[in-house]
Amino acid sequence: MMGDRGIRERHPNGEITTNGKMEVEQMISRKLHLKRAAEHLKSDLMKQLDSQVNDFMNCLIEESASLEAAPVLLSDKESNKLSKKSRTPGSPGKVYVSRRSLLDELFEVNHIRTIYHMFIALLILFILSTLVVDFIDEGRLVLDFNLLVFAFGQLPLVVCTWLCMFVSVLVVPYSLLHLWASWYPTCSHPTLWSVLVGTVSMLYQGLGLGFLPTSVVLSNSLPPASRFIIIVEQVRLMMKVYSFARENVPRVLSAAQKDKTNGPVIPQLTQYLYFLFAPTLIYRDHYPRNPYIRWSYVATKFGQVLGSLFYAYYVFVRLCIPQFRSISLQLFDLRAMVLCVFNSILPGALVLFLAFFAFLHCWLNAFAEMLRFGDRMFYKDWWNSTSFANYYRTWNVVVHDWLYYYVYRDFLWLTEKRFRSGAMLFVFTMSAVVHEYILAICFGFFYPVLFCLFMCFGMMFNFILHDRRKGPIWNVIMWTSLFLGQGVIICLYSQEWYAQRYCPIDEPSFLDLLKPRSWTCHLTSPHAEHSGGS
């Protein structure tokens, strides 16, 4: 007993006996084991909590949708009669709930925020490389942004054109709806009256909102970014006008059938004005609103948009212009195309990320914050997609919702749900045509690369890489295809841009306008030696 007690005692010089060392090592080992167990438990709890929160929110949204969709009980006869006049029977429209954007939540995690810091560091390296190369070539620092000045030229004309478009959209569609709804219940020929007002509305959209802005862009030879602002706003306003009419016309018809003595059931002008600025394409009289505006958040988002713009500038200056300025003078062949595509994957991927971050996250969140718009789900976790079907649904939720509710579902309703594949093909075709229209007007030439990618590879991948494809390998395949597609887009459109400038045609025929100039333009062109800049 005395011997055992003596072994566990501390010696006068402070050293611990052998058994004491073993106890300390065992205690440290126990602590490490507990720490690992706690980390595993934390990971499991976070996964379970995330799954439960998602399930709860989905159930809440479904319940609120069902409550909003059926405020009154109808008899079977009334329900069948109403379903023939409504959009897809038995299915509610989009339900808006207050929620944050996904990146705002993810940036609270240090690991995700570090990826954001890595992109900032890459921007700093782009800036430094540009300054160093300019200093070596010129012997001084060259701080000019000729590409940005060129791309956003004639901004006063752009602002005036946008103001005219916006004022006309604010006045004409609302006035036509108000006039039609006021006379429709008491009109002796309601069908003829509806056709007349509908024809005037279509003429306005086709001529006033369609032809005139496009003619301003083409007749004044606006540069690409200035064209992009006008044409994208043109498409956005046309989609909003359609949604405003699509949501309110059935309501007026339903109210006229129930009670013809009351006034027209149309929204107030302030509600329509709010909708024109709101970051959504589906009209509602009311949206969930936040209690206050965080102006520091707005300033941060606009600052990030400006930073993304300069980021894209340096991507083009360092990675695109030096390559395509020389490659466009070479004969177009298979080897040159393959090298061009693979060299364009990196700038294409960066442009993809910048476009997503600058517009879908920063720009839309800035306007949502200024308007206290509560539903910030402008995108979902598209980067986790294992199928292109899921990618198309989650990349741009704002546009997807419009296509789903007003094109896909209405097509199924008109065909009595007999042609689902036809409805999907129609959605793809409309999206491809609009995207190609925007690029053709902005670049000033017709080169349907994006249309072919949409209609051929996009449709094929939509059926091959469908929702039943799960697992990490399918996410890798999705990213590989996405990067390759971005490389093709950057390569071919950049080649055609320089070919249009190196090999101009004084009096092009209609066939010359349709045939890509990059297929025949090479060093033998007499204009090549005198062309420069971007």
Side-chain angles (χ1 to χ4, degrees):
M1 293 292 292
M2 291 296 294
D4 293 341
R5 192 164 49 247
I7 292 175
R8 291 186 175 87
E9 290 178 351
R10 182 182 296 272
H11 290 285
N13 59 5
E15 295 180 356
I16 303 177
T17 60
T18 303
N19 285 355
K21 291 181 179 179
M22 292 177 62
E23 289 180 354
V24 171
E25 291 176 354
Q26 291 177 358
M27 184 168 57
I28 294 175
S29 177
R30 254 187 255 114
K31 286 183 177 180
L32 292 175
H33 178 72
L34 289 174
K35 182 179 179 181
R36 285 193 294 267
E39 289 177 350
H40 288 301
L41 180 61
K42 177 184 176 182
S43 177
D44 294 339
L45 287 175
M46 291 300 294
K47 291 180 180 179
Q48 293 179 7
L49 180 63
D50 182 64
S51 176
Q52 292 177 359
V53 169
N54 287 334
D55 294 339
F56 172 74
M57 291 302 299
N58 291 334
C59 292
L60 183 64
I61 292 172
E62 291 176 0
E63 291 179 5
S64 62
S66 63
L67 290 175
E68 181 178 304
V72 295
L73 294 177
L74 301 176
S75 63
D76 293 337
K77 183 177 179 180
E78 292 173 330
S79 179
N80 293 333
K81 184 177 180 180
L82 182 62
S83 65
K84 294 180 180 179
K85 295 182 171 59
S86 64
R87 68 161 76 93
T88 309
S91 54
K94 179 177 174 63
V95 178
Y96 290 90
V97 295
S98 293
R99 48 193 164 187
R100 300 169 64 193
S101 287
L102 186 55
L103 281 186
D104 283 339
E105 297 178 350
L106 292 178
F107 281 154
E108 295 179 356
V109 181
N110 289 332
H111 305 292
I112 304 299
R113 193 162 58 245
T114 300
I115 300 177
Y116 172 70
H117 296 162
M118 292 166 59
F119 276 91
I120 296 178
L122 188 59
L123 172 60
I124 294 174
L125 292 177
F126 274 131
I127 296 174
L128 288 177
S129 65
T130 304
L131 294 177
V132 170
V133 170
D134 289 341
F135 184 80
I136 293 174
D137 293 340
E138 304 290 336
R140 59 185 178 87
L141 292 179
V142 181
L143 298 176
D144 59 39
F145 299 96
N146 292 333
L147 181 60
L148 287 178
V149 174
F150 161 74
F152 289 92
Q154 303 186 47
L155 274 183
L157 179 59
V158 173
V159 174
C160 292
T161 305
W162 181 86
L163 284 175
C164 294
M165 291 167 55
F166 183 81
V167 171
S168 69
V169 167
L170 179 64
V171 174
V172 176
Y174 186 84
S175 301
L176 286 175
L177 179 67
H178 191 282
L179 181 65
W180 172 76
S182 301
W183 285 87
Y184 181 83
T186 58
C187 183
S188 58
H189 300 284
T191 303
L192 182 62
W193 173 242
S194 300
V195 171
L196 177 62
V197 176
T199 303
V200 174
S201 177
M202 292 178 64
L203 286 175
Y204 160 72
Q205 290 215 54
L207 297 177
L209 197 55
F211 175 76
L212 289 180
T214 305
S215 65
V216 169
V217 165
L218 297 178
S219 61
N220 291 276
S221 300
L222 295 182
S226 298
R227 294 186 178 200
F228 185 80
I229 294 173
I230 294 178
I231 298 303
V232 169
E233 278 296 288
Q234 176 195 55
V235 174
R236 183 184 74 92
L237 292 175
M238 293 179 77
M239 295 170 75
K240 280 183 176 283
V241 168
Y242 181 86
S243 175
F244 181 69
R246 179 66 181 81
E247 296 293 337
N248 285 284
V249 168
R251 186 164 58 177
V252 173
L253 294 175
S254 177
Q257 291 179 357
K258 293 179 181 179
D259 188 2
K260 296 186 177 182
T261 59
N262 293 332
V265 184
I266 60 174
Q268 299 177 1
L269 182 62
T270 54
Q271 294 174 320
Y272 178 53
L273 178 62
Y274 182 88
F275 168 63
L276 291 181
F277 282 104
T280 179
L281 295 174
I282 296 182
Y283 176 80
R284 294 289 182 269
D285 288 338
H286 303 284
Y287 299 95
R289 305 283 291 274
N290 291 341
Y292 54 87
I293 301 175
R294 298 171 295 170
W295 289 108
S296 60
Y297 180 87
V298 175
T300 300
K301 294 305 167 189
F302 279 129
Q304 289 174 336
V305 170
L306 189 62
S308 300
L309 183 63
F310 279 98
Y311 208 136
Y313 164 78
Y314 282 108
V315 167
F316 280 103
V317 167
R318 300 305 303 164
L319 300 179
C320 293
I321 292 179
Q323 175 188 180
F324 294 109
R325 183 179 289 166
S326 60
I327 199 173
S328 296
L329 300 176
Q330 302 173 6
L331 184 63
F332 183 87
D333 57 11
L334 181 60
R335 181 181 181 277
M337 179 181 175
V338 171
L339 291 176
C340 174
V341 168
F342 281 97
N343 290 333
S344 302
I345 288 178
L346 176 58
L350 291 175
V351 169
L352 174 72
F353 295 144
L354 290 172
F356 160 73
F357 181 74
F359 180 71
L360 291 176
H361 179 69
C362 298
W363 186 264
L364 295 184
N365 269 292
F367 273 88
E369 188 67 29
M370 289 190 294
L371 296 170
R372 296 191 293 116
F373 188 82
D375 196 337
R376 311 288 177 87
M377 194 183 70
F378 309 125
Y379 54 88
K380 298 178 182 178
D381 58 336
W382 57 269
W383 48 86
N384 290 327
S385 298
T386 56
S387 66
F388 270 86
N390 185 69
Y391 168 76
Y392 293 139
R393 290 193 299 266
T394 56
W395 158 257
N396 188 342
V397 174
V398 179
V399 174
H400 170 268
D401 287 340
W402 192 93
L403 291 172
Y404 175 72
Y405 288 106
Y406 298 141
V407 181
Y408 181 78
R409 289 208 325 183
D410 284 357
F411 187 95
L412 289 180
W413 174 65
L414 290 173
T415 59
E416 299 180 352
K417 299 183 178 181
R418 288 180 296 183
F419 304 104
R420 292 188 179 273
S421 298
M424 189 178 299
L425 179 62
F426 186 68
V427 170
F428 268 88
T429 304
M430 174 178 285
S431 180
V433 169
V434 173
H435 279 81
E436 193 57 48
Y437 162 75
I438 294 174
L439 292 183
I441 299 298
C442 292
F443 291 149
F445 56 80
F446 177 73
Y447 196 16
V449 176
L450 191 61
F451 180 84
C452 295
L453 290 178
F454 255 97
M455 295 306 298
C456 298
F457 296 99
M459 282 292 294
M460 180 179 66
F461 286 145
N462 184 67
F463 288 103
I464 296 177
L465 300 180
H466 47 71
D467 290 331
R468 290 191 295 271
R469 306 293 188 184
K470 302 294 182 181
I473 184 62
W474 297 107
N475 183 250
V476 173
I477 294 175
M478 192 276 295
W479 274 110
T480 304
S481 304
L482 197 61
F483 285 156
L484 189 60
Q486 288 299 118
V488 171
I489 291 173
I490 292 292
C491 168
L492 296 184
Y493 278 113
S494 298
Q495 276 193 335
E496 185 66 19
W497 170 269
Y498 277 102
Q500 292 281 333
R501 276 136 191 83
Y502 287 147
C503 306
I505 299 178
D506 295 331
E507 296 181 0
S509 63
F510 181 73
L511 183 60
D512 291 329
L513 295 176
L514 296 181
K515 185 172 63 175
R517 201 78 50 82
S518 58
W519 291 6
T520 56
C521 177
H522 50 87
L523 191 59
T524 58
S525 171
H527 300 272
E529 297 178 358
H530 304 286
S531 299
S534 56

